Amino acid sequence: MSTAESMTERARGFLRDYAAVREQLRRVIVGHEAMLDGVLACLFVGGHCLLEGVPGLGKTLLVRTLADVLHLDFSRVQFTPDLMPADILGTNMLVESEAGRRAFEFRRGPIFTQVLLADEINRATPKTQSALLETMQEGSVTVGGTVHRLQPPFFVLATQNPIEQEGTYPLPEAQLDRFFFKLLVGYPSREELNAVLERTTRTQTSTVERVLDGPRILEMQRLVREVVAAPHVQDYAVRLVLATHPQGPLAAEAANKWLRYGAGPRGAQALILAAKVRALLHDRFNIGFDDVRGAVLPALRHRILLNFEAQAETLDADRLLNEIVAAVPTQT
């Protein structure tokens, strides 16, 4: 089999497995098509996902269902103001052997899993939130000077409520940047809400099958990185990110007027990797401008910081990013 034929076969396998996971999720989740695709994009590039929406929209149900569909270990941590870093990471405990000798032994916390649901992450204090930083970036935990590696793939899905602010702590920008995507979960439509009631208020229950395991997910992640990004398309993603930098040489007018800070290198990485997933789903092995544009909102909305004037005008990040995309030409 030639290299081209091998790549084509692998791409078809990616499409087949992606569709299989999505079909299982749709047995339980009604609507939320963009959320499903966004979560799966994060999974297949090895990134983490932040889901923002009011309670009761199916965020936690999606994560639990995804864990059921995958042959991966799953843990859930309910974040609360009294949660401490050791409650997540684990701690060294003094234990006594049968011979009476005492020694410190590391007891692993719930973060030693493969799919971690960080429920209502903004209810924990910044100290506890920051405990996730190393793990999300490096896939490891350092306790008492010892580094403990997590088993890949490691996938964090965090949820937060954007409305109820009492007893919550905004996520630090450094931690927000570790999330590959921030997805906004909206209300269901009339038809979708009727379908939800059909599934949840009767005796029948939906069941899912496990269709993917860890090694296959890692293989799919490697395939995504092999998708070609032509120099002029990659440069377009770079110029989009630089256009968010207020007063920068390539800054868009909207950025100069409404932003304090723009997206960094992780934003550009997210644009390219998400575009590669989108290209594979459209049966292509190279990315285009539309693939990059399709990733701008989920990849950058949490990586830009609005200034006081924008907040006073109640502008939102998505609107400003759309203005910036409109202002950046595909060719220079």
Side-chain angles (χ1 to χ4, degrees):
M1 182 181 296
S2 67
T3 302
E5 291 173 340
S6 174
M7 296 298 259
T8 300
E9 184 60 31
R10 292 171 65 199
R12 288 173 180 170
F14 181 96
L15 280 171
R16 185 170 54 249
D17 290 342
Y18 184 101
V21 175
R22 202 178 193 282
E23 176 59 30
Q24 295 299 317
L25 293 177
R26 284 178 56 82
R27 292 186 180 184
V28 177
I29 305 299
V30 176
H32 297 306
E33 304 295 331
M35 178 178 70
L36 292 180
D37 287 329
V39 168
L40 292 181
C42 292
L43 173 65
F44 293 128
V45 302
H48 309 292
C49 188
L50 177 62
L51 301 173
E52 182 176 280
V54 299
L57 296 181
K59 302 185 298 296
T60 302
L61 177 62
L62 167 63
V63 182
R64 296 190 67 90
T65 304
L66 181 63
D68 290 338
V69 172
L70 307 176
H71 286 273
L72 300 177
D73 295 332
F74 171 72
S75 291
R76 173 182 178 177
V77 177
Q78 185 67 46
F79 279 63
T80 57
D82 60 346
L83 191 72
M84 299 299 292
D87 297 328
I88 303 173
L89 305 180
T91 187
N92 288 317
M93 300 187 65
L94 187 63
V95 296
E96 186 172 342
S97 67
E98 295 180 356
R101 305 182 67 176
R102 295 182 178 181
F104 282 102
E105 180 179 293
F106 180 66
R107 298 292 176 87
R108 296 186 170 193
I111 204 169
F112 284 87
T113 186
Q114 292 178 292
V115 178
L116 175 68
L117 168 57
D119 218 354
E120 295 189 284
I121 190 173
N122 56 329
R123 288 201 171 277
T125 62
K127 181 178 181 180
T128 301
Q129 293 173 4
S130 297
L132 291 175
L133 285 178
E134 176 193 0
T135 311
M136 292 175 66
Q137 182 64 27
E138 306 295 340
S140 63
V141 173
T142 303
V143 177
T146 301
V147 178
H148 305 269
R149 302 293 303 179
L150 275 67
Q151 180 182 356
F154 175 65
F155 187 31
V156 175
L157 292 108
T159 69
Q160 68 175 10
N161 177 1
I163 297 178
E164 185 179 354
Q165 297 301 318
E166 183 176 354
T168 64
Y169 303 85
L171 293 178
E173 281 70 23
Q175 185 165 358
L176 281 172
D177 197 35
R178 261 69 172 188
F179 285 102
F180 187 83
F181 272 179
K182 177 182 177 181
L183 304 176
L184 306 182
V185 186
Y187 289 105
S189 65
R190 177 180 178 180
E191 293 76 14
E192 291 169 350
L193 189 53
N194 271 297
V196 169
L197 296 180
E198 291 285 336
R199 295 188 184 185
T200 59
T201 62
R202 301 191 177 186
T203 56
Q204 292 182 340
T205 57
S206 300
T207 58
V208 297
E209 301 173 1
R210 291 190 168 182
V211 296
L212 278 188
D213 58 15
R216 176 56 181 153
I217 293 171
L218 293 175
E219 183 181 341
M220 295 172 75
Q221 290 176 359
R222 288 191 292 269
L223 176 63
V224 168
R225 292 177 178 269
E226 293 179 30
V227 174
V228 177
H232 64 287
V233 180
Q234 177 174 296
D235 187 64
Y236 175 63
V238 169
R239 288 186 288 110
L240 280 174
V241 169
L242 294 178
T244 68
H245 296 177
Q247 312 310 321
L250 297 179
E253 182 179 349
N256 287 331
K257 186 175 182 181
W258 303 114
L259 296 184
R260 288 177 57 195
Y261 298 103
R266 288 194 186 96
Q269 293 169 351
L271 288 179
I272 293 297
L273 287 173
K276 291 185 175 186
V277 172
R278 192 174 187 272
L280 282 173
L281 295 179
H282 288 79
D283 202 21
R284 288 181 283 106
F285 217 73
N286 60 285
I287 66 174
F289 297 121
D290 287 341
D291 298 323
V292 175
R293 280 191 288 263
V296 167
L297 296 184
L300 300 186
R301 61 165 56 108
H302 56 299
R303 291 186 165 99
I304 61 174
L305 191 61
L306 276 60
N307 60 22
F308 175 78
E309 289 79 7
Q311 296 175 33
E313 295 288 337
T314 65
L315 301 180
D316 61 74
D318 285 11
R319 173 181 165 183
L320 297 179
L321 285 172
N322 283 327
E323 290 185 21
I324 291 172
V325 170
V328 177
T330 56
Q331 303 290 344
T332 55

